[in-house]
Amino acid sequence: MVPRVKLLAATLAVTGAVSVLTPGLASANEFQPQIEQLLANKIKPWLSDPVIISAVKAQNAEHDGLEQGRIDDLDQQWRDEAETGSGPLIDAVTGNDLSAFLSTKKTELDGVVSEMFVMDNIGLNVGQSDITSDYWQGDEAKWQQTYPVGPDAVFIDEVEFDDSAEAFLSQASLTLVDPETGVAIGAITIGINVEKLF
């Protein structure tokens, strides 16, 4: 019997998972139906939770008018702190109520989700279940294909083998919306272990 990892690798090699953009949705792999089902059933129902909405709106207000130079400085500070796993900026984000909420949701999904992080309206981290390698996501598709696109945007990235997790992962990102106004306020990215979707 062929091990699941080798079988999955062979399948991905044959199908050649590539990013394809469609209105409101970017599909990157053959696991799109399972990922969409996961999002609909296990993720979207809690995206309007007050813990998420209040944290994002508060950071949007705090970062209003933040210039790119300052964003770059914060991102570099985060990267430096990430090398040791701690520091004032990382500790402030990972220690907040939103990060605790995301960590709980990740645990509830029992290995299907490898990480979750929420971004504000300029792409800076607001909360996360695990420490990300950088603080600013505004230069990456996970943010560019969601928040700026609008309230209904979903971006499903390619499946890639993650050496540290020793698993095939895809990232699904969605725009976060203020339930009172219907206006986009930020975005969330969910790392998904596609092997757990079977």
Side-chain angles (χ1 to χ4, degrees):
M1 182 175 179
V2 179
R4 176 180 286 179
V5 171
K6 288 185 179 178
L7 180 60
L8 186 57
T11 301
L12 292 172
V14 170
T15 58
V18 294
S19 295
V20 178
L21 299 181
T22 56
L25 176 71
S27 172
N29 58 66
E30 66 192 76
F31 301 97
Q32 178 182 329
Q34 295 98 319
I35 292 172
E36 288 178 344
Q37 184 176 11
L38 174 70
L39 296 177
N41 297 335
K42 303 289 187 179
I43 305 295
K44 288 183 179 180
W46 49 262
L47 290 185
S48 60
D49 190 285
V51 173
I52 296 176
I53 303 305
S54 61
V56 175
K57 289 173 73 173
Q59 185 159 303
N60 286 348
E62 180 185 342
H63 289 163
D64 186 38
L66 200 64
E67 296 183 357
Q68 188 61 50
R70 179 59 181 150
I71 292 171
D72 293 340
D73 289 344
L74 288 168
D75 191 51
Q76 187 59 55
Q77 178 184 345
W78 182 281
R79 290 170 185 266
D80 292 343
E81 292 179 13
E83 290 184 7
T84 61
S86 183
L89 183 56
I90 283 181
D91 293 348
V93 174
T94 59
N96 66 28
D97 291 342
L98 175 55
S99 292
F101 176 87
L102 295 173
S103 295
T104 298
K105 291 299 181 184
K106 174 189 168 183
T107 300
E108 290 173 357
L109 287 162
D110 195 27
V112 175
V113 168
S114 61
E115 66 175 344
M116 295 187 204
F117 53 94
V118 166
M119 301 155 274
D120 64 16
N121 63 1
I122 55 175
L124 292 173
N125 294 345
V126 183
Q128 54 208 132
S129 65
D130 302 83
I131 298 174
T132 55
S133 59
D134 54 358
Y135 183 54
W136 185 52
Q137 318 300 329
D139 59 343
E140 299 179 29
K142 61 177 66 76
W143 186 84
Q144 294 174 348
Q145 297 295 334
T146 53
Y147 170 76
V149 175
D152 298 322
V154 178
F155 175 73
I156 299 175
D157 211 344
E158 297 179 18
V159 174
E160 295 182 350
F161 187 75
D162 185 291
D163 291 324
S164 60
E166 295 187 346
F168 286 95
L169 306 179
S170 177
Q171 287 187 333
S173 302
L174 306 89
T175 300
L176 293 173
V177 178
D178 183 342
E180 294 183 359
T181 64
V183 173
I185 58 171
I188 184 170
T189 292
I190 302 99
I192 299 167
N193 182 341
V194 298
E195 296 174 68
K196 300 285 189 179
L197 294 173
F198 289 104

